[in-house]
Amino acid sequence: NKVLLSSAAWSSLASLPSLAALLQKLRRDAGITEVRGVVYVRTRVDYLRSHYREFTRRRGNVLPFPAYVAEKMASLDPVVVLARLRDLFGDSLAVFPHAPIVDAGAHFFGLLGLPYHASSGAVRVNVGLDAVETEARRVLNVLSAEVPAGFPGLRAIAARSGVAIDPAAWTEPLPEALFRANASTRGDFASLTGWDPEEVERFFSIPAGGLADVGELTPSIRALCETWLAERRFATRFTVERLPCDAVVDAAIDRFPCGGASSRLAGYVVLACADPGRWRLLARLGGDYVSLRQGIDSPRIAARFPGNPAARRARFAVAIDGLDQKGEGLEILLEDEFGNGRVIFRVQPASG
């Protein structure tokens, strides 16, 4: 019998301790005597670009590519990661270059000695973004605490505005100083992978230029995204007034009722204090008070306020029965530990 475990997270130094614990458990408790590791390695530039685009798309990254690389380079150092993996697997670790392998699934199943039957009609569900669409997501991460549902993509909103953008002409700029590798680093990598000099050189190579820096498009992308956000907010059925409050660093309501008996309204409040447990949120509709669900995980907001622990769980949500039907406004209050409340939002149905 064979047990297959796979995770892209194991290419990160932060996740290697959990892998080590898993291997120990398999060997000690499950009686598995043979554990083999297989790693497919992209070129250094390809991997960092892919990592950047995925974390911008799904983890709320707001940094441009050069700044992101400078911050993440050490934790994604391939020599360090492979050395740790080699410590865990020893000689049973096999390292393959990703680029020349046409179908990694077929290659991997071949290593296992198992038949591989890929569906000819299979649809990829996690298709990566290009540099232009990634920059649009990054700009939206800066402009909005969450990329709103229903974002059709930059090319779609650009086309509506009569703007044509060719994604094939743009890419992220390469901070070459960060990508240079000395002979010692190349030698260590060759020793860890067992690759020939040509494959090692290909891994560390910096692609030739020719494509324009996507950062040059950022002002245009920002203008298009701001217009789309403004149109989307305008089209909602409610208007929101945010009132000033010294205890609040930033706040917004970004999800509104869409009709029906129960209407869900949600947003976020980033508090200035380090102890958000001293405060609670309440909704007031007429003379009735409703407690909000608060402290919901908010990774995109945390990325915008890295020094504020309250930003990690800043989102809230509340269901208000019949809000659409009543046609009434409501207030959201922030109440301190002594029961003193202050209105931070007034929500009113849009007129006309």
Side-chain angles (χ1 to χ4, degrees):
N1 294 326
K2 294 181 173 66
V3 177
L4 168 62
L5 301 170
S6 175
S7 174
W10 291 334
S11 61
S12 167
L13 283 176
S15 298
L16 289 182
S18 66
L19 175 59
L22 174 62
L23 294 178
Q24 183 182 42
K25 190 172 183 66
L26 289 173
R27 289 163 173 153
R28 183 189 61 200
D29 300 338
I32 295 177
T33 57
E34 182 186 8
V35 179
R36 298 169 60 193
V38 178
V39 185
Y40 294 94
V41 182
R42 297 189 185 196
T43 68
R44 203 177 192 195
V45 171
D46 282 348
Y47 178 62
L48 282 165
R49 272 187 175 147
S50 174
H51 197 279
Y52 166 76
R53 293 176 182 180
E54 191 70 5
F55 271 59
T56 300
R57 178 186 192 177
R58 303 192 185 280
R59 301 291 187 90
N61 167 61
V62 296
L63 296 175
F65 184 67
Y68 184 88
V69 169
E71 181 179 288
K72 299 288 186 180
M73 182 70 89
S75 64
L76 299 175
D77 187 319
V79 172
V80 177
V81 172
L82 286 173
R84 298 283 178 84
L85 289 173
R86 186 64 73 184
D87 289 341
L88 294 176
F89 289 97
D91 292 337
S92 65
L93 179 72
V95 185
F96 297 97
H98 182 271
I101 296 174
V102 177
D103 188 332
H107 183 271
F108 183 71
F109 272 67
L111 295 175
L112 296 175
L114 297 175
Y116 179 71
H117 304 291
S119 171
S120 58
V123 178
R124 293 180 63 193
V125 296
N126 188 29
V127 180
L129 297 178
D130 56 47
V132 172
E133 291 292 347
T134 300
E135 182 63 6
R137 297 310 198 283
R138 189 189 71 79
V139 168
L140 281 171
N141 291 341
V142 172
L143 294 175
S144 178
E146 304 280 346
V147 174
F151 179 63
L154 183 76
R155 286 192 287 282
I157 63 174
R160 289 203 298 263
S161 301
V163 178
I165 298 176
D166 178 10
W170 305 88
T171 192
E172 296 89 354
L174 292 177
E176 292 194 18
L178 292 175
F179 283 98
R180 293 195 188 102
N182 58 34
S184 175
T185 299
R186 292 168 187 259
D188 291 341
F189 184 81
S191 176
L192 289 164
T193 59
W195 294 359
D196 60 43
E198 182 179 346
E199 201 61 65
V200 171
E201 186 60 34
R202 185 179 296 114
F203 173 80
F204 284 105
S205 66
I206 299 173
L211 299 182
D213 178 357
V214 72
E216 297 175 15
L217 278 180
T218 300
S220 298
I221 291 175
R222 184 182 180 100
L224 288 166
C225 289
E226 286 176 338
T227 299
W228 180 78
L229 286 170
E231 290 173 348
R232 183 178 179 276
R233 289 167 182 150
F234 182 78
T236 62
R237 300 185 61 180
F238 292 82
T239 61
V240 177
E241 177 188 7
R242 178 186 162 192
L243 283 71
C245 177
D246 293 341
V248 176
V249 175
D250 191 21
I253 294 176
D254 52 16
R255 295 175 189 174
F256 299 92
C258 298
S262 182
S263 300
R264 185 174 182 273
L265 181 141
Y268 67 93
V269 175
V270 180
L271 297 172
C273 68
D275 183 12
R278 294 170 45 203
W279 303 83
R280 70 167 179 162
L281 293 169
L282 296 170
R284 181 166 61 199
L285 180 63
D288 299 322
Y289 286 84
V290 178
S291 293
L292 281 72
R293 181 185 169 211
Q294 60 190 97
I296 302 171
D297 287 343
S298 50
R300 293 184 185 277
I301 300 167
R304 293 174 55 207
F305 299 92
N308 187 335
R312 297 171 189 163
R313 304 177 69 86
R315 294 200 64 84
F316 68 84
V318 61
I320 307 292
D321 291 340
L323 180 62
D324 278 352
Q325 289 77 15
K326 293 177 182 177
E328 296 179 2
L330 65 86
E331 295 176 329
I332 293 181
L333 299 86
L334 182 66
E335 186 180 86
D336 65 21
E337 58 191 328
F338 304 107
N340 301 312
R342 63 200 77 180
V343 177
I344 58 173
F345 290 113
R346 285 197 181 98
V347 183
Q348 298 289 341
S351 58

